[in-house]
Amino acid sequence: MNERPVNLVHKTAILVDGAFYRKRAYNLFGDKDPATRAQELATYCHRHIIEEKEGTSLYRVFYYDCPPSKIQVYHPLLKKQINLAKTDAYKWSEDFLNELKHQRKFALRLGRLAEEQACYLIRSEVFRHILAGKRDITSLVEEDFYLSIPQKGVDMRIGIDISSLAFKHQVDQIVLISGDSDFVPAAKQARREGIDFILDPMRSPIKDDLYEHIDGIRTKAPKPSTTS
């Protein structure tokens, strides 16, 4: 009687919180053009495959983000409307998403920006300096403000995909590149289905209670350089 062959392929899905990755990559690897950043992300994800145990294969990379906004937002310092569609940030984001579409085994999961909540806010460290008397209002410059537009639907899409991958047993392992704790319920579901759930926070600090809801932490981010 012939025995059923054992599947030795260890399938891994990699889920990327786009906003988190872009911020961490900027801090770790510096500013890059869209094409270089997209290739950097692809290389980073594939390291989770090629540097692990033999027989590991990539199922797919799921990238979660929002398209850039085209609206106009009032800037309180400049006292004028800023057309976001004409900014360098808009062009960079558009080109970056287009570059990701050409990466092998990448799937984009796009939410939307809560444009009705869009506004320019003063940076927290600048606000603290003003309250401490280290700066005054007249010293403010454009760089002391940042554009705030909350994301909608991104966390939901991450949770749905984690649950779907687990319930359909499409993968053996999920690697989530994120520093957020909102994924915990979906991670618990995946683990109950026997999925090995790995978190890559790219060396950013995470809450202590996250450790009990994941199967381990593994990052491909470089260690911070130390100066003597």
Side-chain angles (χ1 to χ4, degrees):
M1 181 176 179
N2 294 330
E3 294 184 1
R4 185 177 180 181
V6 178
N7 183 10
L8 298 180
V9 177
H10 187 79
K11 291 185 178 180
T12 296
I14 300 176
L15 282 60
V16 184
D17 179 343
F20 172 81
Y21 180 84
R22 286 186 285 104
K23 182 177 180 179
R24 289 298 296 161
Y26 181 87
N27 292 333
L28 291 168
F29 310 124
D31 191 14
K32 296 183 178 180
D33 62 81
T36 305
R37 178 111 292 157
Q39 184 57 56
E40 169 202 276
L41 173 57
T43 301
Y44 187 93
C45 290
H46 279 85
R47 288 182 61 198
H48 274 287
I49 306 300
I50 62 177
E51 295 179 4
E52 297 310 315
K53 66 182 182 181
E54 186 177 354
T56 299
S57 68
L58 176 63
Y59 175 74
R60 191 162 290 126
V61 176
F62 297 90
Y63 180 84
Y64 305 85
D65 213 333
C66 295
S69 175
K70 300 179 180 180
I71 65 172
Q72 297 190 44
V73 183
Y74 181 77
H75 197 296
L77 181 68
L78 303 179
K79 295 182 173 56
K80 67 177 183 180
Q81 298 284 344
I82 303 297
N83 186 345
L84 299 182
K86 295 183 178 180
T87 62
D88 292 339
Y90 176 89
K91 181 67 166 58
W92 190 98
S93 296
E94 279 276 281
D95 291 346
F96 178 65
L97 292 177
N98 285 331
E99 290 290 339
L100 289 183
K101 294 175 183 177
H102 294 89
Q103 297 297 323
R104 175 167 163 73
K105 286 199 172 185
F106 264 67
L108 271 60
R109 299 282 196 265
L110 301 181
R112 70 172 186 86
L113 294 173
E115 295 179 329
E116 67 280 1
Q117 301 178 39
C119 62
Y120 281 94
L121 299 176
I122 191 169
R123 299 188 184 279
S124 58
E125 64 273 17
V126 175
F127 188 61
R128 287 196 299 268
H129 287 165
I130 291 175
L131 292 180
K134 297 178 180 179
R135 292 184 60 177
D136 57 39
I137 298 295
T138 59
S139 72
L140 291 176
V141 295
E142 186 175 352
E143 289 72 25
D144 292 328
F145 294 79
Y146 69 95
L147 178 64
S148 173
I149 312 181
Q151 291 186 336
K152 294 290 185 180
V154 171
D155 289 343
M156 178 189 68
R157 284 170 171 79
I158 293 177
I160 289 174
D161 281 344
I162 291 174
S163 298
S164 178
L165 290 167
F167 289 144
K168 294 180 181 179
H169 298 282
Q170 294 171 309
V171 297
D172 304 292
Q173 182 182 77
I174 292 174
V175 176
L176 175 63
I177 300 176
S178 178
D180 203 339
S181 61
D182 291 342
F183 66 84
V184 165
K188 291 169 68 174
Q189 276 189 337
R191 295 178 75 204
R192 284 196 292 267
E193 293 296 316
I195 305 299
D196 185 35
F197 197 96
I198 303 297
L199 176 68
D200 180 354
M202 299 181 71
R203 300 195 184 278
S204 65
I206 64 172
K207 296 179 181 178
D208 290 337
D209 60 353
L210 282 183
Y211 288 93
E212 65 179 297
H213 302 300
I214 58 179
D215 292 305
I217 290 180
R218 184 175 77 212
T219 186
K220 302 303 177 182
K223 292 181 179 180
S225 59
T226 56
T227 56
S228 56

